[in-house]
């Protein structure tokens, strides 16, 4: 594609090293587990991070770099690497992508809008993939970074491109327009998303329309026509149910499908889609408008509209049989999405064995030998231990995979038929299911998934990362971040949460007990881990698994020193000194400082890694005076200890509430706990955070109860009139306590809050659903927002932390990542 010399010229950069190195791919994440030969690493500098810090991790694997500063020991690097130095690496990447786009003279569809961008993009791909070789944005790559990375994937084989463009503030769209240069523009909808970045709706609308400056044709759906200039309107097809000049719509809904009657100019088209929700109808009509603007009659595509598949905007991670982990991504199967899924697979360090089950590929217009040879290369680069191919095409090309461990099957049914003989292959494996929708990999997922409770706790890892980054933005560049994953990460699952935290580069983890730390080490978590409640019988695990104990008293300190003296001969072992500044739970008293210094100074066996304390009331403004006294006491203790020891010690006292309310007390590190899961200390902070956990179940049975009859144990629930009740499989053994019974709490069915009736049983409870049109098997939401979680805590006279940690382990956990 390019040489590193070309990159320097196109980016107006200074080249250091050989100019002949090829550049065939682009990457910005040093944590990426697979490296395409000829990759260029772009060292981005953001408010939260600096890619230059991670160059050393890439040495030997990557040989081409786009940077704004050269690394130390540049001469050593230049023996086998080359650097292009620019003032701003993101701006240089965007400039390079704009040049790359200008080399292609094909239809390019640029999509923007408040909602529906990714669905419209993926549905256009489903509709047109048999007619074009399509380059499209991976996932939701629509940002200032995602767009150039998407456009740089264009190559000579492509005959159509579809790119998303998303913005959150003025000035962004002009940059994306210069990169995408769409020939056809699509405005999917206009709503309130990202309003906070603009002075008002008019500014946001005018900014989004900048994408279409050079587009010859446009499609707009749900955009106010009166706000669009005549110049733009003349080349636009507007979609409106009452339109006389655009596309007029009539919809006929049945139980599982919608018939669309569309009229445009002199054409009338009838399409049927397998969805009934308003959003799907809206997006399908937008796709029909795009076909018309491409010069295609949507009637020719009626069969494909009828087969449109839901778009998975997130990956699901589930617990599988034989101690395996299952990653579901079985909605499409093209090389681009496979590469992304393999990278996600390699981020999961909980199992050492990697298995991929993959279907025939959806890449039309590409020679099959070339296609499956590229798939083989991806599998080798990702170091996949076993690939299972399903479908006639991949079966016919199995000879291309001779260097890998493989199994092949004609179809999904054939795999299921032979599954019993191959179950042991999935022992302790992370299994990626990556298949085209038509292969029905849901059947394989159900086969591999560990059967458990009908109640599910969903943990949204994207929301978790969003919340961590919210708090990170409040820290200085030198302040470290410790994340609390004790109590199975507030009920969310320690190893899964820790894997995500490790991937985004937090500095420390903390657990309550050593066995929690052992579990993380066995899940390949490499971060430093502090054990907050070490016990004497856990010293061997602490030492053997490189865990770092909290030392809070002279007795626990002497116990640990005695153990080390008899069983340890390595470097000084890291420990964390806890001081009690007013919480009066654990910790040395401030008056203990001199004897503590004497004891620590007298032993070579340990090194004080940090000194810390715990704020008792950081979230309570009425007690700020006490909190400030704690901070002052801690500062005096910590600086005295550090001075006496003669080396630097990490100092930390702020918890989630302290991070937000006491920035002067961030010191060297802060500890993030409940805030990570979406619980803020103020209404303003609550609005900035996203809820991480969603607890749902389903209706087991529906009954009619006559007036005067009773419900549940001890006949505590009495029907005042004839009512309808639903039994749901969630009880006090699952973390839905008895205190919520007899109408004291509500769950949500079809968006309506409905109260409990009768006592909560061990494994189930009853809900009054009178007046709701629902069926057995319908979803029941226990909580899915921070407000609902806080309300449940309020009804239990407790805090959200206790609600989350009280959810039983027998409730199935599912991890989703968009």
């Amino acid at each position: 594609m390019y040489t590193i010399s070309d990159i320097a010229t196109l980016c107006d950069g200074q080249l250091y090293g050989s100019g002949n190195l090829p550049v065939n791919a682009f990457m910005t994440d040093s944590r990426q587990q697979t490296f395409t030969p000829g990759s260029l690493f772009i060292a981005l500098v953001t408010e939260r991070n600096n890619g230059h810090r991670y160059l050393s991790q890439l040495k030997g694997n990557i040989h081409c770099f786009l940077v704004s500063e050269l690394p130390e020991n540049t001469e050593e690097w230049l023996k086998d690497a080359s650097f292009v130095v620019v003032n701003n690496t993101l701006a240089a990447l965007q400039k390079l992508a704009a040049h790359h786009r200008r080399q292609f003279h094909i239809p390019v569809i640029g999509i923007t809008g408040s909602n529906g961008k990714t669905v419209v993009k993926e549905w256009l791909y489903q509709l047109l993939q048999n007619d074009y070789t399509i380059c499209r944005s991976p996932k939701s790559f629509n940002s200032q970074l995602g767009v150039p990375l998407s456009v740089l994937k264009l190559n000579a084989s492509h005959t159509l491109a579809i790119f998303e463009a998303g913005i959150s503030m003025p000035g962004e769209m002009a940059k994306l327009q210069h990169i995408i240069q769409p020939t056809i523009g699509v405005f999917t909808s206009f709503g309130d998303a990202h309003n906070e970045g603009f002075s008002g709706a008019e500014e946001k609308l005018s900014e989004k329309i900048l994408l279409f400056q050079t587009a010859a044709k446009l499609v707009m759906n749900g955009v106010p026509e009166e706000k669009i200039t005549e110049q733009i309107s003349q080349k636009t097809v507007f979609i409106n149910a009452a339109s006389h000049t655009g596309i007029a719509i009539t919809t006929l809904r049945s139980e599982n499908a919608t018939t669309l009657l569309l009229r445009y100019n002199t054409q009338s088209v009838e399409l049927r889609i397998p969805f009934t929700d308003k959003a799907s109808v809206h997006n399908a009509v937008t796709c029909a408008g795009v076909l018309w603007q491409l010069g295609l009659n949507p009637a020719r595509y009626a069969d494909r509209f009828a087969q449109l598949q839901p778009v998975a905007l997130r990956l699901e991670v589930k617990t599988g049989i034989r101690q395996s982990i299952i990653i579901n991504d079985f909605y499409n199967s093209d090389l681009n999405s496979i590469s992304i899924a393999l990278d996600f697979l390699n981020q999961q360090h909980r199992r050492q064995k990697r298995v991929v089950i993959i279907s025939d590929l959806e890449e039309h217009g590409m020679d099959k030998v070339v296609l499956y040879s590229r798939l083989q290369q991806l599998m080798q680069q990702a170091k996949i231990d076993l690939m299972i191919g399903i479908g006639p095409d991949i079966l016919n090309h199995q000879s291309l995979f001779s260097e890998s461990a493989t199994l092949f099957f004609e179809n999904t049914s054939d795999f299921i038929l032979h599954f019993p003989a191959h179950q042991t292959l999935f022992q302790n494996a992370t299994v990626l299911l990556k298949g085209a929708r038509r292969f029905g990999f849901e059947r394989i997922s159900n086969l591999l998934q560990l059967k458990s409770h009908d109640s599910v706790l969903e943990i949204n890892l994207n929301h978790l990362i969003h919340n961590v980054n919210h708090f990170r933005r409040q820290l200085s560049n030198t302040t470290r971040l410790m994340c609390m994953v004790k109590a199975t990460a507030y009920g969310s699952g320690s190893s899964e949460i820790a894997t995500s935290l490790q991937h985004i580069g937090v500095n420390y983890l903390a657990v309550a007990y050593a066995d929690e730390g052992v579990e993380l080490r066995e899940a390949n978590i490499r971060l430093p881990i502090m054990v907050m409640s070490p016990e004497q019988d856990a010293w061997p695990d602490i030492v053997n698994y490189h865990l770092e104990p909290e030392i809070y008293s002279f007795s626990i300190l002497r116990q640990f020193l005695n153990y080390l003296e008899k069983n340890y001969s390595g470097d000084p072992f890291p420990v964390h000194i806890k001081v009690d500044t007013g919480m009066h739970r654990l910790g040395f008293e401030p008056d203990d400082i001199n004897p503590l210094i004497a004891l620590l100074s007298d032993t070579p066996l340990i090194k004080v890694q940090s000194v810390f304390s715990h704020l008792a009331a950081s979230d309570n403004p009425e007690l700020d005076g006490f909190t400030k006294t704690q901070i002052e006491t801690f500062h005096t203790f910590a600086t005295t200890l550090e001075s006496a020891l003669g080396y630097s010690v990490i100092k930390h006292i702020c918890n989630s509430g302290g991070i937000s309310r006491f920035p002067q007390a961030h010191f060297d590190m802060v500890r993030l706990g409940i805030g990570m899961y979406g619980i803020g200390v103020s209404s303003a902070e609550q609005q900035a955070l996203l809820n991480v956990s969603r607890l749902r179940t389903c209706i087991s049975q529906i009954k009619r109860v006559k007036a005067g009859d009773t419900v549940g144990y001890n006949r505590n629930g009495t029907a005042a009139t004839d009512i309808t009740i639903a039994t749901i499989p969630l009880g006090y053994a699952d973390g839905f306590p008895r205190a919520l019974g007899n109408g004291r709490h509500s769950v949500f069915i079809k968006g309506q809050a409905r109260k409990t009736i009768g006592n909560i049983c061990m494994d189930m409870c009853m809900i009054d659903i009178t007046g709701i049109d629902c069926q057995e098997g319908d979803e029941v939401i226990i909580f899915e927002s921070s407000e609902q979680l806080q309300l449940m805590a309020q009804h239990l006279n407790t805090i959200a932390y206790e609600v989350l940690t009280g959810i039983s382990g027998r409730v199935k956990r599912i991890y989703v990542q968009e």
Side-chain angles (χ1 to χ4, degrees):
M1 183 186 292
Y2 296 102
T3 65
I4 191 68
S5 179
D6 296 331
I7 302 296
T9 301
L10 294 169
C11 296
D12 295 324
Q14 179 67 46
L15 175 65
Y16 293 82
S18 170
N20 297 323
L21 296 179
V23 174
N24 303 310
F26 304 86
M27 59 180 289
T28 60
D29 190 344
S30 62
R31 300 162 298 188
Q32 194 168 309
Q33 299 292 314
T34 58
F35 303 105
T36 302
S39 290
L40 173 74
F41 178 75
I42 302 99
L44 297 174
V45 179
T46 68
E47 291 182 5
R48 299 192 305 268
N49 218 334
N50 186 336
H52 298 83
R53 299 174 186 165
Y54 309 106
L55 295 182
S56 60
Q57 299 177 12
L58 300 169
K59 199 164 195 247
N61 291 313
I62 300 298
H63 304 284
C64 295
F65 297 87
L66 180 64
V67 299
S68 54
E69 57 187 75
L70 289 169
E72 295 180 359
N73 302 319
T74 302
E75 291 185 5
E76 181 67 25
W77 277 87
L78 293 179
K79 291 179 180 178
D80 65 349
S82 294
F83 292 82
V84 173
V85 181
V86 295
N87 291 328
N88 183 312
T89 51
L90 177 59
L93 176 67
Q94 292 173 339
K95 186 174 183 178
L96 175 63
H99 164 83
H100 188 68
R101 163 67 183 91
R102 290 193 295 270
Q103 311 313 302
F104 298 89
H105 305 285
I106 61 174
V108 175
I109 301 171
I111 304 176
T112 193
S114 300
N115 301 103
K117 296 185 291 294
T118 301
V119 173
V120 168
K121 177 198 68 184
E122 291 299 322
W123 279 2
L124 286 173
Y125 176 79
Q126 291 180 30
L127 292 167
L128 297 170
Q129 61 178 318
N130 290 338
D131 306 310
Y132 297 88
T133 302
I134 301 174
C135 177
R136 71 193 195 280
S137 307
K139 298 192 294 184
S140 299
F141 274 36
N142 56 33
S143 66
Q144 298 292 303
L145 172 61
V147 168
L149 291 176
S150 300
V151 169
L152 283 166
K153 292 183 178 295
L154 272 170
N155 63 53
S157 71
H158 293 126
T159 56
L160 176 69
I162 311 174
F163 300 122
E164 296 181 45
I167 58 172
S168 57
M169 64 180 65
E172 292 185 335
M173 189 59 88
K175 297 176 183 177
L176 300 186
Q177 188 280 331
H178 186 60
I179 299 169
I180 298 174
Q181 304 163 48
T183 60
I184 296 177
V186 181
F187 205 141
T188 59
S189 64
F190 185 66
D192 296 331
H194 302 296
N195 272 356
E196 63 277 7
F198 301 90
S199 61
E202 289 193 6
E203 182 183 44
K204 185 172 73 170
L205 180 60
S206 62
E207 178 75 12
K208 284 182 174 290
I209 287 175
L210 291 176
L211 177 63
F212 310 130
Q213 281 183 332
T214 59
K217 299 177 180 180
L218 302 175
V219 176
M220 293 193 182
N221 195 349
V223 180
E225 291 185 48
E226 67 276 8
K227 300 289 186 182
I228 306 302
T229 65
E230 184 177 352
Q231 181 183 4
I232 296 291
S233 295
Q234 288 176 350
K235 55 184 180 181
T236 300
V237 170
F238 290 97
I239 299 173
N240 190 308
S243 177
H244 297 290
T245 58
I247 299 176
I249 316 163
T250 303
T251 60
L252 302 172
R253 287 183 172 86
S254 61
E255 183 176 349
N256 298 312
T258 302
T259 299
L260 306 175
L261 305 176
L262 308 181
R263 187 180 69 254
Y264 175 57
N265 292 337
T266 60
Q267 296 184 37
S268 294
V269 173
E270 179 176 321
L271 303 173
R272 182 179 173 85
I273 61 171
F275 308 97
T276 58
D277 61 288
K278 291 181 180 179
S280 293
V281 170
H282 183 100
N283 293 328
V285 177
T286 302
C287 291
V290 175
L291 295 186
W292 262 311
Q293 289 289 51
L294 278 168
L296 305 171
N297 187 341
R300 285 181 46 211
Y301 294 82
D303 289 345
R304 299 182 196 174
F305 274 97
Q307 297 173 25
L308 284 175
Q309 300 296 335
V311 176
L313 300 179
R314 59 192 189 178
L315 298 174
E316 288 188 340
V317 182
K318 300 182 177 181
T319 303
I321 62 171
R322 295 181 174 269
Q323 291 79 51
S324 64
I325 300 294
I326 311 301
I327 301 172
N328 285 337
D329 188 17
F330 41 70
Y331 298 93
N332 50 37
S333 183
D334 57 279
L335 287 174
N336 194 32
S337 65
I338 290 168
S339 179
I340 294 169
L342 288 174
D343 191 54
F344 181 80
L345 169 65
N346 280 314
Q347 294 170 21
Q348 313 305 306
H349 297 291
R350 289 163 282 168
R351 304 289 187 271
Q352 292 188 350
K353 184 178 181 181
R354 301 184 184 99
V355 176
V356 175
I357 303 178
I358 191 164
S359 74
D360 284 351
L361 301 191
E362 298 174 317
E363 293 277 3
H364 299 275
M366 184 181 293
D367 178 81
K368 293 293 180 66
V369 173
V370 173
L371 177 64
Y372 287 101
S373 295
R374 290 188 182 177
L375 176 62
Q376 160 67 356
Q377 291 171 3
L378 287 176
M379 294 296 163
Q380 285 187 324
Q381 291 166 7
K383 299 179 181 178
I384 299 305
D385 298 292
L386 172 65
M387 189 197 82
I388 299 174
I390 296 178
D393 277 356
I394 197 169
L395 178 63
N396 289 337
H397 292 86
Q398 60 180 293
S399 61
L400 298 173
F401 300 87
S402 58
E403 297 181 14
S404 306
T406 53
L407 287 172
F408 294 91
F409 298 91
E410 180 73 26
N411 50 46
T412 301
S413 296
D414 189 28
F415 171 84
I416 292 172
L417 177 66
H418 293 91
F419 175 73
H422 299 297
Q423 284 194 49
T424 56
L425 297 176
F426 302 98
Q427 186 75 38
N428 293 312
T430 301
V431 184
L432 170 64
L433 297 182
K434 186 65 181 158
R437 188 76 181 187
R438 61 191 171 91
F439 282 87
F441 272 20
E442 297 93 337
R443 297 164 62 197
I444 299 177
S445 178
N446 291 334
L447 197 65
L448 292 174
Q449 186 179 329
L450 188 66
K451 304 302 183 288
S452 60
H453 211 293
D454 284 337
S455 299
V456 173
L457 182 67
E458 288 185 9
I459 296 96
N460 190 309
L461 299 177
N462 289 84
H463 288 186
L464 178 90
I465 293 168
H466 167 91
N467 295 339
V468 171
N469 287 335
H470 167 79
F471 288 98
R472 265 181 165 171
R473 283 191 288 270
Q474 302 177 48
L475 308 179
S476 72
N477 290 333
T478 59
T479 303
R480 297 176 174 95
L481 179 63
M482 173 184 281
C483 290
M484 315 303 289
V485 291
K486 60 182 181 177
T488 63
Y490 293 61
S492 298
S494 298
S495 60
E496 290 80 5
I497 297 298
T499 296
S500 291
L501 295 173
Q502 179 170 266
H503 183 66
I504 64 173
V506 306
N507 306 101
Y508 250 97
L509 300 176
V511 298
Y513 296 101
D515 56 353
E516 295 175 319
V518 170
E519 179 187 344
L520 296 183
R521 287 288 184 249
E522 291 181 342
N524 292 316
I525 299 300
R526 302 178 300 276
L527 289 172
I529 300 172
M530 180 173 76
V531 179
M532 304 189 74
S533 299
E535 297 170 324
Q536 186 171 356
D537 60 2
W539 297 139
D541 281 343
I542 284 175
V543 172
N544 293 334
Y545 286 89
H546 306 289
L547 308 175
E548 301 177 8
E550 169 188 320
I551 301 297
Y552 53 80
S553 69
F554 286 109
S555 61
I556 203 80
L557 175 56
R558 292 189 178 98
Q559 288 175 16
F560 191 48
L561 289 174
N562 288 337
Y563 177 82
L564 292 177
E565 188 173 3
K566 297 175 183 177
N567 301 281
Y568 182 72
S569 59
D571 294 333
F573 203 89
V575 300
H576 300 261
I577 300 296
K578 174 75 174 289
V579 55
D580 183 358
T581 57
M583 181 81 166
H584 295 322
R585 190 170 59 179
L586 293 175
F588 290 96
E589 296 296 326
D591 291 344
D592 292 332
I593 184 67
N594 289 328
L596 177 61
I597 288 172
L599 187 52
L600 292 173
S601 301
D602 192 43
T603 176
L605 294 173
I606 61 175
K607 176 185 179 183
V608 177
Q609 191 75 2
S610 85
V611 56
F612 72 105
S613 189
H614 197 93
L615 296 177
S618 62
D619 56 348
N620 188 343
E622 295 180 2
L623 297 175
D624 281 357
F626 181 80
T627 299
K628 290 175 182 177
T629 299
Q630 279 194 277
I631 293 169
E632 292 170 3
T633 301
F634 171 71
H635 182 258
T636 300
F637 186 98
T639 53
T640 302
L641 178 64
E642 184 177 55
S643 177
L645 292 175
Y647 55 82
S648 296
V649 173
I650 300 171
K651 297 173 282 294
H652 50 111
I653 192 172
C654 280
N655 50 14
S656 295
I659 295 172
S660 302
R661 301 194 63 246
F662 296 94
Q664 73 275 18
H666 287 175
F667 294 110
D668 305 308
M669 185 160 69
V670 297
R671 302 189 303 276
L672 181 58
I674 193 65
M676 187 162 52
Y677 300 91
I679 305 300
V681 296
S682 66
S683 58
E685 183 168 84
Q686 192 62 66
Q687 290 179 358
L689 299 175
L690 299 177
N691 189 54
V692 170
S693 302
R694 178 177 186 261
L695 182 59
R696 60 178 169 84
T697 187
C698 60
I699 297 174
S700 299
Q701 189 175 22
I702 293 176
K703 288 179 176 289
R704 276 70 185 174
V705 179
K706 294 181 179 180
D709 282 359
T710 60
V711 177
Y713 284 120
N714 291 322
R715 307 190 69 192
N716 278 351
T718 302
T721 61
D722 289 353
I723 63 172
T724 304
I725 66 168
T727 300
I728 63 174
L730 193 75
Y732 61 78
D734 305 303
F736 197 70
R738 284 170 56 87
L740 299 177
N742 297 298
R744 288 189 287 268
H745 188 63
S746 298
V747 298
F748 300 86
I749 302 173
K750 302 283 186 180
Q752 299 183 42
R754 287 303 166 119
K755 291 184 178 294
T756 57
I757 181 169
N759 289 348
I760 305 296
C761 308
M762 176 181 283
D763 309 304
M764 60 194 78
C765 63
M766 286 67 75
I767 311 296
D768 186 344
I769 60 169
T770 306
I772 297 184
D773 181 18
C774 57
Q775 301 175 354
E776 293 175 0
D778 280 356
E779 184 178 68
V780 179
I781 301 299
I782 311 304
F783 59 78
E784 61 180 353
S785 69
S786 298
E787 292 76 18
Q788 292 170 351
L789 175 60
Q790 296 276 36
L791 183 62
M792 183 171 170
Q794 180 183 329
H795 289 163
L796 290 169
N797 193 30
T798 186
I799 58 176
Y801 171 86
E802 185 175 342
V803 173
L804 291 172
T805 56
I807 298 171
S808 166
R810 68 180 189 169
V811 173
K812 181 166 55 183
R813 268 71 171 169
I814 292 179
Y815 302 88
V816 297
Q817 185 154 7
E818 298 171 359

